[in-house]
Amino acid sequence: FLGSRLRPHKVPTKEPIPPTEIVMLYLFAIFCFAAGPVSARQCDVTSLLQTPLVQGSGKKRLRQNAEIQQVQEQNLSARPSFAVLLTTYNEPSRTKMYEKRLNWWLSNTTLPIYVVDSHNSKFAEQLKSIRKFREYHFDQTPILGTPPRGGSTPAEILSMKKAFEVFKDEWAQYDYVVKVTCKYVLPTLTSAFASMSKGNAFIVQSTNYNHFTYPGWVDTECLGFDAKRMGQLLAEIEKQDPLCIENKVATLLWDSKSYSHQILHPMPVPEAYQTARGDGQRLPELLQSVAA
């Protein structure tokens, strides 16, 4: 009688992870560590993990979903935040060019956009209808003269210093402020920045990066600053002996303990937005042209 009611004891076994979840986690790992120039819109972690997060039920699945969400949140929080500072000298001959690029930054990104203009000339009001951005205008002539004494370097440093004085309280919420010369648009800036770490003094572009012979050279069309130390860093740049800002920044990078830096991956500049620099050179990409 008792024997007829007994049932074999089933030893609990660990349920294997479904192959689909293994694939999803593998793709997630690639997303976390890959450094390819893929836009943030193309690589959305939430979309990538959507399937394992919504399917299934029970305690095990809930635990797995919670773990995945925790990893996702940690990954996102580990990425540095940044605002973009577009530098301009908005004389009449450049206004159309600047406004075309400002329109692009406002229409094609969700990044916090700040603009500094050292010609003290306003931009078209219609740009404000695209979305909110912050701007500061001043006249560099009383300070530097016309043409600016010392060339473009004092003018470039002055613009960044003025912008920091005005916006530093707002910038304190970000890890970095990325100065971009407003001749350029950078569709892959967000994805390139995703591979950067927090805590560097500088984030530099890879074009003409020469840190192998002193004092070196670092192009500055795109230059990231520790947001909280930007004022101090600009003062240190200004004090360096070389005349050009590209040499001044490179000189600081030799002191890696105080001025750590990382190099951004190459970032293409769309052909319609390629504009000649002061030396006449056009940059199809902000890329590395000096072998390491």
Side-chain angles (χ1 to χ4, degrees):
F1 178 78
L2 291 174
S4 64
R5 292 178 176 266
L6 293 175
R7 296 290 185 271
H9 179 64
K10 186 176 181 180
V11 178
T13 58
K14 287 190 176 181
E15 191 177 330
I17 298 175
T20 55
E21 289 193 17
I22 295 175
V23 172
M24 296 305 293
L25 290 172
Y26 176 72
L27 291 174
F28 178 60
I30 293 176
F31 176 87
C32 291
F33 298 105
V38 182
S39 71
R41 293 181 181 178
Q42 290 173 316
C43 271
D44 183 348
V45 182
T46 304
S47 299
L48 186 61
L49 296 176
Q50 185 175 8
T51 301
L53 287 177
V54 299
Q55 290 182 349
S57 60
K59 292 182 178 180
K60 179 180 178 182
R61 183 53 58 93
L62 290 173
R63 185 179 69 252
Q64 290 174 338
N65 288 347
E67 290 172 353
I68 291 172
Q69 287 177 320
Q70 184 179 15
V71 170
Q72 179 183 357
E73 291 170 0
Q74 289 173 346
N75 178 58
L76 292 174
S77 65
R79 296 184 196 173
S81 59
F82 66 96
V84 173
L85 173 64
L86 300 175
T87 57
T88 71
Y89 181 72
N90 192 28
E91 61 183 352
S93 63
R94 301 185 184 187
T95 298
K96 185 177 180 180
M97 174 194 69
Y98 285 143
E99 290 183 347
K100 177 181 178 181
R101 283 141 182 81
L102 185 52
N103 185 302
W104 184 94
W105 282 101
L106 295 172
S107 302
N108 293 277
T109 79
T110 58
L111 295 166
I113 300 297
Y114 293 79
V115 183
V116 61
D117 160 49
S118 56
H119 190 266
N120 202 26
S121 299
K122 302 294 184 182
F123 296 106
E125 284 293 317
Q126 65 187 36
L127 289 169
K128 296 178 182 178
S129 67
I130 301 173
R131 68 178 174 93
K132 182 180 177 181
F133 69 98
R134 300 278 278 125
E135 57 187 316
Y136 174 67
H137 301 265
F138 75 99
D139 184 2
Q140 69 179 26
T141 302
I143 303 171
L144 298 176
T146 303
R149 290 184 297 275
S152 62
T153 290
E156 188 171 356
I157 293 175
L158 177 64
S159 285
M160 290 188 283
K161 288 171 67 176
K162 289 284 190 180
F164 180 74
E165 290 171 5
V166 174
F167 299 126
K168 62 183 177 181
D169 291 339
E170 297 176 34
W171 289 348
Q173 64 184 298
Y174 304 110
D175 296 304
Y176 295 103
V177 173
V178 181
K179 170 263 179 188
V180 179
T181 304
C182 201
K183 292 179 180 179
Y184 303 102
V185 303
L186 300 173
T188 61
L189 177 60
T190 298
S191 56
F193 223 87
S195 63
M196 300 294 100
S197 303
K198 297 180 181 181
N200 291 291
F202 296 101
I203 302 294
V204 302
Q205 68 187 67
S206 54
T207 315
N208 293 327
Y209 175 85
N210 178 5
H211 201 227
F212 319 108
T213 56
Y214 189 84
W217 181 278
V218 176
D219 276 353
T220 58
E221 286 85 4
C222 178
L223 179 62
F225 296 84
D226 180 325
K228 296 174 182 60
R229 289 201 287 161
M230 184 173 176
Q232 172 199 340
L233 295 173
L234 286 169
E236 289 299 321
I237 290 172
E238 197 169 26
K239 290 193 303 186
Q240 303 307 306
D241 290 333
L243 295 178
C244 296
I245 189 171
E246 293 85 356
N247 288 132
K248 289 177 179 288
V249 173
T251 301
L252 283 186
L253 300 187
W254 286 90
D255 184 0
S256 59
K257 291 183 180 179
S258 300
Y259 305 104
S260 59
H261 71 284
Q262 284 183 280
I263 306 173
L264 289 164
H265 291 283
M267 297 177 290
V269 178
E271 186 174 0
Y273 296 91
Q274 294 175 18
T275 303
R277 304 190 302 181
D279 60 5
Q281 183 182 4
R282 291 166 63 91
L283 292 182
E285 279 191 311
L286 299 184
L287 52 73
Q288 185 157 340
S289 59
V290 179

